[in-house]
Amino acid sequence: MSAKPTGRLAQREDGLYLMLDRLFNAPIDDVWASLSRPGGLAGWIGTYTGSPETGAVRFRLDEPDAEWEYVTILTCIPPKRFTVNIGEGDAARHVILHLVEGAGMTTLTFGQRLHSASDAVTVGPHWDYYFDRLVAARLGKPLPEHAHYHPHAEYYRELVVPKRATEPTH
């Protein structure tokens, strides 16, 4: 698998986000299962415990020494989108996932709110790696090596923060 950085910065009403997209040759419900069910998550990122219906679960990355983290589910509209906070307090990461299906294909758009544009240097390679793992796992291909994503930092360091729609352009 060719690991290429894919993220972009976007201004949203509630802040600056790092956004990534992936396209799947699969129905939306199938992709949703890969993002929302413990069995679907297990092949590419980790697992969770608890009942999402309560609005909170505990999640753990499939990495050595990974800690369990609390996840607060803010919105969930199956199979189209969910918004969560991963972690607690000031360290919480605000994440959005949005799915759209058309012509038998499903587009996944992911976003993580950043505290500053410099956060993209670590956040971008992290999510490129995991979403490439998702693609590989769904295709039954070998999972990519994490080391291949370290050079992505330079790409993310060079991203330009877009101006807000209300800012003057002169």
Side-chain angles (χ1 to χ4, degrees), residues 99-123:
L99 298 171
V100 176
E101 182 179 14
M105 306 286 282
T106 300
T107 301
L108 160 66
T109 300
F110 167 88
Q112 180 176 327
R113 187 170 54 210
L114 305 176
H115 294 288
S116 72
S118 64
D119 291 344
V121 172
T122 54
V123 173

Side-chain angles (χ1 to χ4, degrees), residues 13 15 38-39 70 74 79 94 96 112-113 116-117 121 135 151-152 154 168 170:
E13 287 181 15
Y70 287 100
L74 303 171
H94 185 74
I96 58 173
Q112 180 176 327
R113 187 170 54 210
S116 72
V121 172
V135 170
H152 287 204
E154 191 58 36
H170 32 251

Side-chain angles (χ1 to χ4, degrees), residues 78-150:
K80 296 185 185 239
R81 83 180 87 160
F82 63 82
T83 306
V84 300
N85 284 338
I86 303 169
E88 300 178 274
D90 292 340
R93 291 157 335 269
H94 185 74
V95 168
I96 58 173
L97 262 129
H98 186 249
L99 298 171
V100 176
E101 182 179 14
M105 306 286 282
T106 300
T107 301
L108 160 66
T109 300
F110 167 88
Q112 180 176 327
R113 187 170 54 210
L114 305 176
H115 294 288
S116 72
S118 64
D119 291 344
V121 172
T122 54
V123 173
H126 173 83
W127 287 114
D128 274 328
Y129 169 65
Y130 277 107
F131 286 122
D132 284 353
R133 285 175 56 98
L134 171 61
V135 170
R138 291 183 50 81
L139 294 173
K141 293 187 175 182
L143 299 179
E145 299 284 330
H146 194 264
H148 294 151
Y149 292 81
H150 298 304

Side-chain angles (χ1 to χ4, degrees), residues 25-48:
N25 186 14
I28 194 170
D29 289 322
D30 189 44
V31 178
W32 179 260
S34 295
L35 301 166
S36 64
R37 296 195 178 108
L41 294 167
W44 66 278
I45 193 167
T47 191
Y48 70 83

